């Protein structure tokens, strides 16, 4: 946590979250190897709150099967999670584990850098970075409704369940991307 705060300018809470979920290890490895990024080709980073089963579930499955009472919960297509090798049912674009990360990784201009953990992604240019949220938000499996869209739909606002931030320098600071998977 100390290195994230001192060398990468992370706020203490974000450094602690990245240490707990393993994201920090990948960021420090990239820093130590001299990996190069810039404002035009940043890193996109996903961090889950390990003390929240909702956050972990969303990262792995999306909105499907979240516990009753969580805003944005959707029933599993077909009534249950798909079997490991079964075709995905209509409405599902990725399967667990790390479904959100897998969806991001298959987008053009994106490369996964967290050794299969699907948490740290190199984005080759800003056009792809700005295009990614709409790609996520158009998927029912991952879209969370922000205040305006929730009001239009007549439902409660759906809180973001993961932290998303970008880095355009490995020496920081990170820039939070609060509505990455959430409409306005």
């Amino acid at each position: 946590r100390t290195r994230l705060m001192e060398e990468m300018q992370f706020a203490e809470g974000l450094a602690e979250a990245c240490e707990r979920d393993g994201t920090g290890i990948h960021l420090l490895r990239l820093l130590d190897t001299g990996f190069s990024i810039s404002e035009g080709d940043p890193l996109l980073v996903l961090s889950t709150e390990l003390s929240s089963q909702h956050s972990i579930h969303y990262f792995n499955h999306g909105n499907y099967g979240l516990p009753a009472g969580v805003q944005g919960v959707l029933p599993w297509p077909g009534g249950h999670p798909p079997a490991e090798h079964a075709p995905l049912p209509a409405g599902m674009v990725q399967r667990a584990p790390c479904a959100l990360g897998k969806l991001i990784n298959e987008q053009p201009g994106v490369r996964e850098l967290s050794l299969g953990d699907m948490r740290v992604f190199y984005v080759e240019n800003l056009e792809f970075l700005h295009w990614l949220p709409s790609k996520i938000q158009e998927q029912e499996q991952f879209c969370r409704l922000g205040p305006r869209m929730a009001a239009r739909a007549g439902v409660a606002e759906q809180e973001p369940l993961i932290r998303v931030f970008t880095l355009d320098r490995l020496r920081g600071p990170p820039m939070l991307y609060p509505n990455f998977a959430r409409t306005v």
Side-chain angles (χ1 to χ4, degrees):
R1 175 182 343 169
T2 302
R3 285 192 67 200
L4 290 172
M5 291 168 48
E6 292 177 1
E7 296 180 44
M8 298 181 77
Q9 301 180 47
F10 277 51
E12 185 175 3
L14 184 58
E16 185 178 324
C18 289
E19 178 183 55
R20 281 195 315 260
D21 73 9
T23 304
I25 292 169
H26 299 296
L27 293 172
L28 292 171
R29 177 181 48 79
L30 292 171
L31 178 67
D32 292 344
T33 61
F35 191 79
S36 178
I37 56 173
S38 71
E39 187 176 315
D41 60 344
L43 293 181
L44 177 73
V45 183
L46 309 179
S47 178
T48 54
E49 182 51 59
L50 292 181
S51 63
S52 167
Q53 290 302 316
H54 305 155
S55 179
I56 295 165
H57 183 97
Y58 176 80
F59 177 72
N60 282 312
H61 303 279
N63 293 316
Y64 296 125
L66 282 167
V70 175
Q71 297 300 326
V73 63
L74 295 172
W76 288 103
H80 53 80
E84 187 175 339
H85 298 291
L88 290 174
M92 273 191 87
V93 292
Q94 278 296 339
R95 70 178 74 243
C98 311
L100 179 58
K102 289 176 184 175
L103 177 62
I104 291 169
N105 191 47
E106 69 182 17
Q107 302 310 310
V110 175
R111 184 169 35 123
E112 199 270 342
L113 297 177
S114 52
L115 307 175
D117 281 352
M118 299 292 167
R119 294 181 178 277
V120 179
F121 304 88
Y122 171 79
V123 183
E124 71 181 44
N125 64 48
L126 290 178
E127 181 180 348
F128 289 125
L129 179 65
H130 294 300
W131 177 79
L132 273 170
S134 61
K135 186 64 177 172
I136 301 305
Q137 291 168 11
E138 70 187 26
Q139 304 303 324
E140 183 178 53
Q141 184 173 357
F142 297 106
C143 182
R144 310 285 299 155
L145 298 180
R148 283 192 237 148
M149 290 302 291
R152 283 186 189 163
V155 298
E157 179 180 346
Q158 300 166 2
E159 66 179 311
L161 294 175
I162 59 167
R163 286 184 194 95
V164 179
F165 59 92
T166 60
L167 282 165
D168 60 17
R169 295 178 304 143
L170 279 171
R171 296 270 178 207
M175 293 163 282
L176 289 176
Y177 206 149
N179 289 321
F180 180 77
R182 199 168 87 136
T183 62
V184 293

